[in-house]
Amino acid sequence: NAGVTQTPKFQVLKTGQSMTLQCAQDMNHNSMYWYRQDPGMGLRLIYYSASEGTTDKGEVPNGYNVSRLNKREFSLRLESAAPSQTSVYFCASSEESPSWSEQFFGPGTRLTVL
Amino acid sequence: RKEVEQDPGPFNVPEGATVAFNCTYSNSASQSFFWYRQDCRKEPKLLMSVYSSGNEDGRFTAQLNRASQYISLLIRDSKLSDSATYLCVVNGWDSGYALNFGKGTSLLVTP
């Protein structure tokens, strides 16, 4: 099992460009999440999907959109990238609600916006 | 006020030492508590859940004090491979799907 996979691993964008970060899990988990991690800020939740067909905003959703394509895949889109979106992005999944369920993280996407 | 607070460190300790980290949380309604470990430039991974009665996993002991709203992690007989950042995690503002991550405490174990 690959666990949680993310593509791409690295990306450099110019301000105003758009891109989609891809995430897939092969553990048959119901819930999936997108976080960003910035130096000195810790991990912050952008969006989550409690189950296939549902998505909800997290702590820092502005500037992002998500799609839960199917049970396996959860993508994050930046419509018009800004330098403030330079960060490391982690996708995660859990069997159920994270209140009692371990979250498994992907290896991350390192995004730089110039 | 940040919901989960940790001393960022770094904690520099020699191999074999015992080291303890503390974490405080602000939401008294929180029900779930965890320690995650994150190696440099890697993803976080669950180290252990924290239970009300305290729990131990080998050299690692986690404690929860609900009255004072803090969580601790004790590492005994530190190994070089314990060098990492330790993230304190508490279920979040909606008490459902959100987890709040502390900024992490950095540990460096030296020979």
Side-chain angles (χ1 to χ4, degrees), chain A residues 89-106:
Chain A
Y89 291 86
F90 288 104
C91 177
S93 71
S94 65
E95 192 170 342
E96 298 293 346
S97 160
S99 288
W100 52 83
S101 181
E102 178 181 358
Q103 286 194 17
F104 294 83
F105 286 80

Side-chain angles (χ1 to χ4, degrees), chain A residues 8-104:
Chain A
K9 286 188 167 52
F10 301 92
Q11 184 71 49
V12 178
L13 292 178
K14 294 181 180 177
T15 297
Q17 287 185 316
S18 62
M19 79 162 295
T20 299
L21 281 63
Q22 307 287 354
C23 173
Q25 52 91 6
D26 62 2
M27 296 173 282
N28 202 35
H29 285 169
N30 289 308
S31 303
M32 297 185 74
Y33 316 87
W34 276 105
Y35 293 90
R36 61 178 289 174
Q37 187 173 35
D38 302 295
M41 294 296 294
L43 279 155
R44 291 182 293 170
L45 184 65
I46 305 171
Y47 270 94
Y48 65 92
S49 171
S51 60
E52 187 178 355
T54 69
T55 60
D56 285 286
K57 294 178 181 179
E59 183 185 355
V60 288
N62 291 345
Y64 305 95
N65 285 301
V66 291
S67 295
R68 183 77 182 264
L69 304 168
N70 48 54
K71 192 170 185 179
R72 290 187 63 248
E73 297 172 288
F74 188 38
S75 63
L76 178 72
R77 182 160 178 84
L78 287 70
E79 290 291 351
S80 179
S84 61
Q85 294 178 304
T86 293
S87 188
V88 181
Y89 291 86
F90 288 104
C91 177
S93 71
S94 65
E95 192 170 342
E96 298 293 346
S97 160
S99 288
W100 52 83
S101 181
E102 178 181 358
Q103 286 194 17
F104 294 83

Side-chain angles (χ1 to χ4, degrees), chain A residues 10 31 33 35 37 40-43 45 48 50 57-59 90 97-100 102-103 105-107 110, chain B residues 2 31-34 36 38 40-46 87 91 93-103:
Chain A
F10 301 92
S31 303
Y33 316 87
Y35 293 90
Q37 187 173 35
M41 294 296 294
L43 279 155
L45 184 65
Y48 65 92
K57 294 178 181 179
E59 183 185 355
F90 288 104
S97 160
S99 288
W100 52 83
E102 178 181 358
Q103 286 194 17
F105 286 80
R110 282 164 176 75
Chain B
K2 180 72 177 163
Q31 295 295 321
S32 302
F33 310 91
F34 310 90
Y36 276 70
Q38 186 172 24
C40 188
R41 300 182 68 80
K42 298 286 190 180
E43 71 272 22
K45 293 184 180 177
L46 180 67
L87 308 175
N91 75 295
W93 37 267
D94 64 355
S95 295
Y97 292 92
L99 286 179
N100 275 321
F101 286 77
K103 296 177 185 179

Side-chain angles (χ1 to χ4, degrees), chain B residues 2-105:
Chain B
K2 180 72 177 163
E3 293 209 31
V4 180
E5 297 203 36
Q6 299 180 247
D7 180 345
F11 284 64
N12 292 339
V13 302
E15 262 187 298
T18 295
V19 62
F21 309 136
N22 289 330
C23 159
T24 58
Y25 62 94
S26 60
N27 184 357
S28 59
S30 294
Q31 295 295 321
S32 302
F33 310 91
F34 310 90
W35 284 101
Y36 276 70
R37 169 192 169 131
Q38 186 172 24
D39 293 312
C40 188
R41 300 182 68 80
K42 298 286 190 180
E43 71 272 22
K45 293 184 180 177
L46 180 67
L47 178 66
M48 57 196 302
S49 300
V50 185
Y51 302 119
S52 296
S53 55
N55 48 300
E56 189 173 304
D57 182 2
R59 298 182 292 108
F60 298 85
T61 300
Q63 299 272 350
L64 170 63
N65 184 319
R66 284 188 184 272
S68 301
Q69 293 180 216
Y70 82 76
I71 307 154
S72 64
L73 177 68
L74 183 77
I75 305 175
R76 290 182 300 278
D77 188 23
S78 299
K79 311 291 185 192
L80 295 176
S81 57
D82 294 334
S83 297
T85 297
Y86 291 83
L87 308 175
C88 177
V89 184
V90 176
N91 75 295
W93 37 267
D94 64 355
S95 295
Y97 292 92
L99 286 179
N100 275 321
F101 286 77
K103 296 177 185 179
T105 298

